[in-house]
Amino acid sequence: MHAGLHGCTRVDPPSSQPSRSMAPPLQQFHPRRLLLRLRLPTSGRLFLRLHLRPLSCSSSPAAQTPPPQPMPLHGPSLRRGRRTAPDHPEEDPLLSFARTFDLAALRVPAAACAPLERRLRGHLLNWPRVRNIARLPNDDGHALLLSPSTPALPASPLTAVARRDKLARQFNARGFVQFPNLAKMSRPPPRTQRDKKEEGRGGEKETKREKNTVYVVKVPGEEDGDEWKGLVGEEGFGRGPWRGEPTRLLLLDESYANRRVDDLPQAVKVVLDDETKQGGYELVQCQLTLFYNYWPMNEVLEALLPEGIIIPAGFETVGHIAHLNLRDEHLPYKEIIAQVVLDKNKPKIRTVVNKTDAIQNDYRTMQLEILAGHDSLVTTVIESGLRFKVDLATVYWNSRLATERQRLVNNIFRSSDVVCDVFSGVGPIAISAAKKVKYVYANDLNPTAVEYLERNIILNKLERKIEVFNMDARRFVSAIYSSQHVHPVTQVVMNLPKDAAEFLDIFRGILRNRQAGQPCVMPKIHVYGFSKAEDPEYDFNERINLALCDSVGNMEMHRVRLVAPGKWMLCASFTLPESVAMAKPNYIMC
């Protein structure tokens, strides 16, 4: 018999050779010794057994499938915790997302919470969006009075806040002291007054509060008015009795659930031993219930969508509109996805849309389908301190190009520049540049985009620095350079990645017929384009040279972003060669 890889044994067939003693299991070998033995000259039989023995271990009791291990603790998750069965799931289906977790907590006087929280760092729950200090309902400490047999403790000097609280407990507005519950001040705060008004409307306030609940902490088995039963029992510790004051729960790390005081780490015991000189503490087992509002968007979608479907990771935000680009596999569940996106991004997001088709028109407008929220696609976008009015149904806007726009304005444009924005849209580049440069000429073919451009110019108070045109790109460039009263253009932006390179032929011979005395300034052109080539920079450079019918030197290439797998958006920046500006035009003006 020889030992297998997993401690299993295999019986060799009988042979005429004398019996040998059992070899030690390979698991007990030191790795280096095992390596040395395998390097010795051996027959192929040993290696054959090494590969086949694990297959014969299924009959051994020790080789049976181990019992499933509990899921490791790694924070809150919809895959963990106990489901909280709703009483009426058809009335509120969101309650199916409630999960309950068992935790341990220290019940301490409210005044001792802050020092204890600082000293117990690393031993508290520390879950996202869950506070380490929890307050139980109706735990105000008003009904807790020291019994006559309780020895009085030396009184400590009261702070200003404690003194005011003591007076509120002893006196009401008229100065009487025979009332059992005197915590309310003579004049309730405005929030309490609003709550009373809502209560008179049929409990709308309570319903709203339940819908907005993120989590709830409670101690099972305790009824209202009986929170203090057994407070200093076998799990309580500390000097002196519990006094009639509010308490709080310090939620301990999840690994401390279902433990007793003696099972706590020594570091926690040392802290509590120091703090027990000030009062008593109780270790309680509590339940933390996380509701639908707690869970992030990706976890909710993972629970709702069928297994194997890729979870939509993100979306583009345009003002109050969330713009999705759903795949074909997501379309049967598009309403569910949109509703979750709306729920998890309120109140910033109020409308969710999906692009149904690629941009195929000259105005660059997108075909959008409203999936959830308001029907209006008119919104206001704030970018770099500027406000832009946008209607996604009739104009083009891309928030993902904000970084590229700021690169041009902050790093390339100078205060003395005159910028010519050939495809301006609603003015994200033109208006941003006008805050810095001397003057801007902005043009777009879409009349609706030009209308919003003019509104945005007035909205940002830049009427004196921008001149607006509604023309074809070739006519616009030709008109700018043929004008008698024009600022010499120093920067030209052509942000139309699909077709911008094809419009570069307008610059061939653009200064050939300039008027006498007109300055001859070679502009720096920033043209955008797409490329799917293996070397996108080389491919885009060749397309620019072909459009200009010349070879452009010192061209700077910048990769803007990856718009699709293998498809780059590029920005080529170059100074217009004088040979091109003075050459004979080779285009036909339409």
Side-chain angles (χ1 to χ4, degrees):
M1 256 188 320
H2 297 274
L5 282 176
H6 298 277
C8 304
T9 57
R10 175 171 178 168
V11 179
D12 293 335
S15 62
S16 58
Q17 297 180 356
S19 61
R20 300 177 182 177
S21 60
M22 181 182 298
L26 292 180
Q27 285 183 343
Q28 301 176 2
F29 282 175
H30 190 276
R32 294 183 178 179
R33 296 179 181 177
L34 176 62
L35 184 61
L36 291 175
R37 292 201 175 196
L38 293 179
R39 287 178 177 176
L40 294 176
T42 57
S43 63
R45 183 180 181 184
L46 174 61
F47 292 96
L48 180 63
R49 289 176 180 172
L50 287 175
H51 286 83
L52 295 181
R53 278 173 194 166
L55 301 178
S56 63
C57 296
S58 58
S59 60
S60 174
Q64 294 179 357
T65 304
Q69 298 294 330
M71 188 169 294
L73 305 178
H74 62 279
S77 172
L78 276 172
R79 298 178 178 270
R80 302 176 54 241
R82 299 191 307 275
R83 289 179 176 267
T84 304
D87 298 333
H88 303 285
E90 65 280 355
E91 297 180 2
D92 191 359
L94 297 183
L95 289 178
S96 61
F97 289 92
R99 297 292 185 272
T100 301
F101 298 84
D102 294 325
L103 301 173
L106 290 173
R107 178 147 46 185
V108 299
C113 275
L116 267 180
E117 185 182 18
R118 288 193 295 266
R119 297 193 62 184
L120 290 176
R121 286 181 179 177
H123 300 281
L124 300 180
L125 186 62
N126 293 326
W127 277 4
R129 302 178 62 196
V130 176
R131 297 187 60 183
N132 292 325
I133 300 177
R135 178 174 182 174
L136 292 175
N138 304 321
D139 186 6
D140 295 325
H142 301 152
L144 295 172
L145 301 176
L146 297 177
S147 60
S149 60
T150 303
L153 294 177
S156 57
L158 296 177
T159 62
V161 177
R163 185 163 56 251
R164 185 183 62 183
D165 185 65
K166 180 180 179 181
L167 292 175
R169 294 171 188 273
Q170 293 177 350
F171 297 94
N172 68 344
R174 299 182 180 180
F176 295 108
V177 295
Q178 65 266 27
F179 295 92
N181 187 1
L182 299 173
K184 293 183 179 180
M185 302 294 289
S186 59
R187 184 177 181 182
R191 186 178 64 179
T192 305
Q193 293 179 355
R194 288 198 304 268
D195 293 348
K196 288 183 178 180
K197 292 180 181 179
E198 296 293 344
E199 290 176 2
R201 300 176 184 174
E204 296 179 4
K205 185 71 175 180
E206 295 181 1
T207 304
K208 182 179 179 181
R209 193 173 291 166
E210 289 178 1
K211 289 184 178 180
N212 295 332
T213 301
V214 177
Y215 66 93
V216 169
V217 179
K218 69 175 183 179
V219 178
E222 293 189 350
E223 303 295 337
D224 293 342
D226 194 26
E227 299 93 339
W228 298 84
K229 183 178 180 180
L231 198 57
V232 287
E234 58 183 19
E235 286 300 317
F237 51 96
R239 297 183 178 181
W242 285 86
R243 309 182 67 86
E245 56 182 319
T247 63
R248 301 290 184 266
L249 292 181
L250 272 176
L251 303 180
L252 297 179
D253 187 82
E254 191 181 4
S255 60
Y256 302 159
N258 301 321
R259 291 194 187 184
R260 300 174 62 86
V261 176
D262 296 337
D263 299 332
L264 294 177
Q266 188 63 29
V268 179
K269 293 181 182 179
V270 171
V271 174
L272 295 180
D273 288 343
D274 295 341
E275 295 292 336
T276 49
K277 300 176 182 179
Q278 306 296 330
Y281 303 87
E282 183 191 13
L283 179 67
V284 297
Q285 303 300 325
C286 62
Q287 293 178 349
L288 171 65
T289 303
L290 304 177
F291 295 101
Y292 171 78
N293 291 334
Y294 175 84
W295 305 111
M297 182 181 70
N298 59 330
E299 289 207 36
V300 175
L301 290 178
E302 185 178 355
L304 289 174
L305 298 181
E307 187 175 358
I309 292 184
I310 299 176
I311 306 300
F315 51 86
E316 180 184 349
T317 302
V318 183
H320 72 273
I321 302 172
H323 178 201
L324 304 176
N325 286 320
L326 298 179
R327 304 184 181 187
D328 293 339
E329 60 179 354
H330 297 146
L331 296 182
Y333 316 99
K334 58 184 179 182
E335 287 84 6
I336 297 177
I337 296 174
Q339 189 60 48
V340 173
V341 171
L342 189 65
D343 292 343
K344 295 303 177 181
N345 295 276
K346 287 181 178 179
K348 181 179 180 181
I349 298 300
R350 299 193 298 273
T351 304
V352 182
V353 300
N354 178 46
K355 185 170 71 173
T356 58
D357 197 2
I359 300 175
Q360 298 178 351
N361 52 68
D362 295 336
Y363 291 167
R364 298 185 292 172
T365 56
M366 295 178 288
Q367 302 297 322
L368 300 177
E369 177 186 12
I370 299 178
L371 301 179
H374 303 314
D375 294 336
S376 176
L377 293 181
V378 178
T379 184
T380 301
V381 183
I382 300 178
E383 182 177 297
S384 302
L386 301 173
R387 298 167 63 89
F388 299 93
K389 206 75 174 179
V390 177
D391 182 4
L392 287 186
T394 57
V395 301
Y396 177 81
W397 179 273
N398 192 339
S399 297
R400 297 177 181 177
L401 296 178
T403 304
E404 174 62 18
R405 291 191 278 262
Q406 290 308 305
R407 184 185 71 89
L408 288 177
V409 174
N410 296 336
N411 302 337
I412 297 179
F413 294 167
R414 300 180 301 272
S415 59
S416 59
D417 280 333
V418 175
V419 177
C420 179
D421 192 354
V422 183
F423 308 100
S424 63
V426 298
I429 294 180
I431 295 177
S432 299
K435 296 285 288 185
K436 180 179 181 180
V437 303
K438 180 179 179 181
Y439 204 77
V440 176
Y441 299 102
N443 171 76
D444 200 89
L445 182 63
N446 185 356
T448 306
V450 172
E451 178 184 348
Y452 277 95
L453 171 60
E454 293 176 341
R455 295 174 60 181
N456 293 331
I457 292 173
I458 297 175
L459 189 63
N460 293 282
K461 302 178 181 179
L462 294 169
E463 302 93 325
R464 297 183 179 182
K465 297 186 66 175
I466 302 179
E467 189 174 348
V468 180
F469 298 84
N470 179 207
M471 306 171 66
D472 175 76
R474 287 190 172 88
R475 288 186 179 273
F476 165 66
V477 174
S478 178
I480 290 295
Y481 277 91
S482 62
S483 174
Q484 297 289 337
H485 308 284
V486 65
H487 300 281
V489 176
T490 59
Q491 305 280 352
V492 178
V493 181
M494 305 179 70
N495 188 4
L496 185 66
K498 185 179 179 181
D499 304 315
E502 300 177 2
F503 288 88
L504 286 174
D505 56 1
I506 186 62
F507 291 99
R508 186 170 178 83
I510 196 66
L511 297 177
R512 182 183 180 91
N513 298 322
R514 73 183 187 280
Q515 300 295 329
Q518 189 176 8
C520 182
V521 178
M522 296 300 156
K524 188 170 185 179
I525 301 176
H526 310 276
V527 58
Y528 290 82
F530 296 131
S531 178
K532 295 183 179 180
E534 295 183 1
D535 189 349
E537 288 82 3
Y538 176 81
D539 172 65
F540 195 37
N541 193 348
E542 289 299 311
R543 287 159 51 192
I544 293 174
N545 292 337
L546 182 63
L548 294 174
C549 296
D550 203 337
S551 180
V552 180
N554 298 324
M555 186 178 298
E556 302 174 5
M557 286 287 182
H558 172 71
R559 293 192 179 189
V560 179
R561 68 188 189 99
L562 192 65
V563 298
K567 183 178 181 180
W568 280 97
M569 178 180 178
L570 303 169
C571 175
S573 302
F574 60 93
T575 301
L576 182 66
E578 187 174 354
S579 59
V580 175
M582 300 298 179
K584 182 179 180 180
N586 60 351
Y587 64 91
I588 300 176
M589 181 66 69
C590 56

